[in-house]
Amino acid sequence: MAKRVFLHVGTPKTGTTFLQSVLWANKDVLQGQGLLLPLQSVSDHFQLSVIGRQASAQLSTMPERGHTSWQRMLDEVDGWSHDALISHELFSMCSARRARWCIEQLRSVADEVHPVLTGRDLARQVPAEWQQTVKHGRSHGLKDFYGLLQTNDPSVTFWRAQDLVTLLADWSQGLPPDQVHLVTVPPAGASRDLLWTRYATLVGVDPLSVDQQVTRLNESLGLVEIETLRRVNRHVPAGASLPTRQLLIRQVLAEGILASRAGAKKFAPPPEEHAWVVERGTAMVDGVRATPYDVVGDLEELLPPAEPLLGPSPDDVDDSDVAEVAVETIARVLFRRQVLENRRRVRELNEQLERRTQRVQVLEKQRDEARSSYERERDLPLWRHTARRVRGAARAVLRRGAP
C-alpha cells in the first residue's frame, strides 16, 4: 500500500501539459526518489480520467486496455510502499459523486489521498479556454464566449472545470483540509521553473533533479490563425465523428500547421469584458481564501490585473487576413512532409497488393488445373486406374534394380 497518492485533477490551461511532460520524461528519476507514476504514459492517465468521469462517448470507443486501466493502476499503487502521482486535467470534469468515488477508490490503496488543483487568473483562463473550444471544433466568437459564461449557458463547460471553489469542495469530500492542495500558476513573465518548483516541492521530489528540456507545450494560436480555424469549423460536415474532428481539426490543422506559422500575432480579450472578469475572478479568489485548504504559492496571483490587456481581438480580423492564412494553410496541407510520406507509403502498399493479387491469381489457376485433372482421373474406369498403378509400380522396381 502506498503512503500518499497525489491526484492532480486540473484545471485545464494551467500548465498541465508542461507539468505532465516533465513528469513522464523523468519517470525513472522520480521513481528513484519514491514517487511512482503508475501505468505507462499520459494517455493511460487520460483513460483513468475517462473512467473517473464515466464519460460515455469516450468509454464506448476506448480499447480494452483502457477499460482495465483503473484496476491496473490500483494494483500497481497497492504494491508500492512510497508515494504515487496521477495527473490529468480532465479529472476536473468529474461530478461531485464521481469525485467522491475516485477518492474512495484511492483510499483503498493508500494511507492518504491528496487531490491537487492548479489555478490561474481568470483574465488568462477565459481566452485560453475559448481557444481550446475552437481547437475542439466550436465556432463561437470570443465575445460570444464571454456572453455564454456570464449567463452560465449549459452549452459550455467552462465553470465545471474552472470554478476553483466548487472544485475544492468536490475534491475534499471525506479528507482533512491539509490534504487538499491548490497550486497557483505564477503571473505572466515569471520563470516557468517556478510552477515546476512549487509542484515538485508539494509532491516531495527535488525540483532540480529532473530534465525540463524534454517537454511538450500546448501551443497557442495567433490572432489570424485562431480566427481562420474558427471559420473552418463552420464548414465541418455534420456527420463527422468526434475522433475524426479531433484528428483533423486539432492535431492536423491547429497544432500541426497553424501553431507553427512564423510571425503569428498574439490576441487580446475584448477590453469591455474586463470589468466582469475582475469582478468574477476576485469573487472566486475571495471564496478560495475563505476555505481551509493548503495553498502552494500566492492567492494574489489568481486576481485578474486591474487593467485589461490591450491588443487586437480575433473578432476584429478581416477577410483578407484570413484569406492569406487559409491559402498558405491549404498549400501546407497538400505538401506537408507527413502527407507526402503517407502517399508514398500508400503507393508502395498498392504495389505490394497488386503483386500479391497476381500471385493469388496464379495459384487459383494452378488450383483449377489440379482440380480438373483430378476430376478427369476420377472419371476413368477401374481397369484404367489399376493399369496406371501397375505401370507405376513396375517403373519403381526397375529404378531400384538399375545399376
Side-chain angles (χ1 to χ4, degrees):
M1 178 175 282
K3 291 181 179 178
R4 300 180 296 178
V5 173
F6 294 95
L7 178 58
H8 182 197
V9 303
T11 62
K13 305 306 297 179
T14 57
T16 52
T17 300
F18 161 68
L19 292 172
Q20 290 157 5
S21 296
V22 174
L23 291 169
W24 287 104
N26 296 276
K27 179 179 179 179
D28 292 341
V29 173
L30 298 175
Q31 189 162 325
Q33 297 180 49
L35 183 67
L36 170 72
L37 269 68
L39 307 181
Q40 299 300 316
S41 70
V42 68
S43 297
D44 291 326
H45 286 203
F46 164 72
Q47 292 172 342
L48 293 177
S49 81
V50 172
I51 294 173
R53 291 176 282 133
Q54 284 295 284
S56 55
Q58 292 165 327
L59 282 169
S60 65
T61 59
M62 197 162 65
E64 179 60 28
R65 180 174 176 79
H67 288 282
T68 64
S69 61
W70 190 271
Q71 186 59 53
R72 288 187 290 111
M73 176 273 294
L74 291 178
D75 292 342
E76 194 171 345
V77 173
D78 194 26
W80 183 251
S81 57
H82 302 290
D83 294 339
L85 170 64
I86 299 162
S87 174
H88 203 279
E89 61 274 16
L90 291 184
F91 275 106
S92 63
M93 297 296 291
C94 282
S95 64
R97 181 179 63 83
R98 293 303 298 177
R100 186 187 313 114
W101 179 86
C102 292
I103 292 169
E104 291 172 352
Q105 288 277 300
L106 293 174
R107 291 178 79 172
S108 70
V109 294
D111 294 332
E112 297 179 4
V113 177
H114 289 249
V116 179
L117 275 77
T118 40
R120 190 170 69 154
D121 69 271
L122 204 59
R124 289 185 289 171
Q125 284 298 85
V126 174
E129 277 285 74
W130 167 75
Q131 181 167 145
Q132 282 300 102
T133 67
V134 175
K135 282 185 179 182
H136 286 82
R138 297 294 295 270
S139 60
H140 45 226
L142 181 53
K143 291 180 182 178
D144 295 334
F145 189 66
Y146 277 91
L148 294 172
L149 298 188
Q150 292 174 41
T151 59
N152 295 312
D153 191 291
S155 68
V156 293
T157 57
F158 180 89
W159 293 120
R160 183 174 173 185
Q162 297 293 342
D163 187 339
L164 295 176
V165 177
T166 299
L167 286 169
L168 286 167
D170 289 347
W171 288 99
S172 62
Q173 298 177 83
L175 298 175
D178 62 352
Q179 289 180 206
V180 183
H181 312 277
L182 171 62
V183 180
T184 63
V185 176
S191 170
R192 189 177 67 170
D193 294 346
L194 182 54
L195 174 60
W196 167 248
T197 298
R198 291 173 177 177
Y199 191 87
T201 303
L202 172 62
V203 299
V205 297
D206 179 4
L208 301 179
S209 66
V210 304
D211 179 8
Q212 293 189 47
Q213 301 305 311
V214 190
T215 59
R216 181 176 65 87
L217 298 178
N218 192 349
E219 297 289 351
S220 296
L221 302 187
L223 170 72
V224 183
E225 290 74 15
I226 188 63
E227 175 61 13
T228 302
L229 182 64
R230 187 187 72 83
R231 296 190 188 189
V232 168
N233 289 342
R234 293 176 177 175
H235 301 281
V236 173
S241 67
L242 177 61
T244 299
R245 294 199 303 271
Q246 291 288 303
L247 172 64
L248 297 180
I249 296 174
R250 182 171 64 85
Q251 296 180 22
V252 173
L253 184 54
E255 298 174 358
I257 294 177
L258 292 174
S260 62
R261 285 194 79 248
K265 299 177 181 178
K266 292 185 177 181
F267 65 88
E272 61 269 22
E273 303 293 346
H274 192 68
W276 170 81
V277 170
V278 172
E279 179 183 358
R280 185 69 175 83
T282 302
M284 187 163 62
V285 172
D286 289 342
V288 173
R289 190 177 280 116
T291 68
Y293 309 117
D294 176 46
V295 176
V296 181
D298 188 346
L299 279 179
E300 297 296 311
E301 295 173 336
L302 301 186
L303 290 172
E307 298 298 325
L309 177 66
L310 299 180
S313 170
D315 294 298
D316 300 326
V317 173
D318 61 35
D319 293 347
S320 61
D321 290 332
V322 170
E324 181 180 350
V325 173
V327 170
E328 179 189 319
T329 300
I330 291 171
R332 291 182 64 184
V333 167
L334 291 175
F335 295 100
R336 66 195 297 248
R337 179 178 177 183
Q338 184 177 0
V339 171
L340 294 176
E341 288 179 351
N342 288 342
R343 289 173 180 168
R344 178 180 56 78
R345 181 59 177 155
V346 168
R347 285 197 299 271
E348 292 175 352
L349 292 173
N350 283 335
E351 291 171 359
Q352 293 178 15
L353 179 61
E354 180 65 24
R355 289 194 296 270
R356 292 179 182 180
T357 300
Q358 292 173 357
R359 177 58 178 160
V360 168
Q361 291 172 346
V362 170
L363 293 174
E364 287 177 342
K365 182 178 180 181
Q366 292 175 351
R367 180 203 62 194
D368 293 342
E369 291 174 350
R371 181 179 294 158
S372 298
S373 176
Y374 167 75
E375 294 293 343
R376 289 194 300 272
E377 181 80 11
R378 188 181 61 179
D379 292 339
L380 292 174
L382 180 60
W383 67 271
R384 294 287 297 274
H385 286 290
T386 303
R388 285 191 174 189
R389 293 194 181 99
V390 169
R391 285 197 300 271
R395 283 195 294 269
V397 171
L398 290 174
R399 282 196 298 269
R400 288 197 296 271

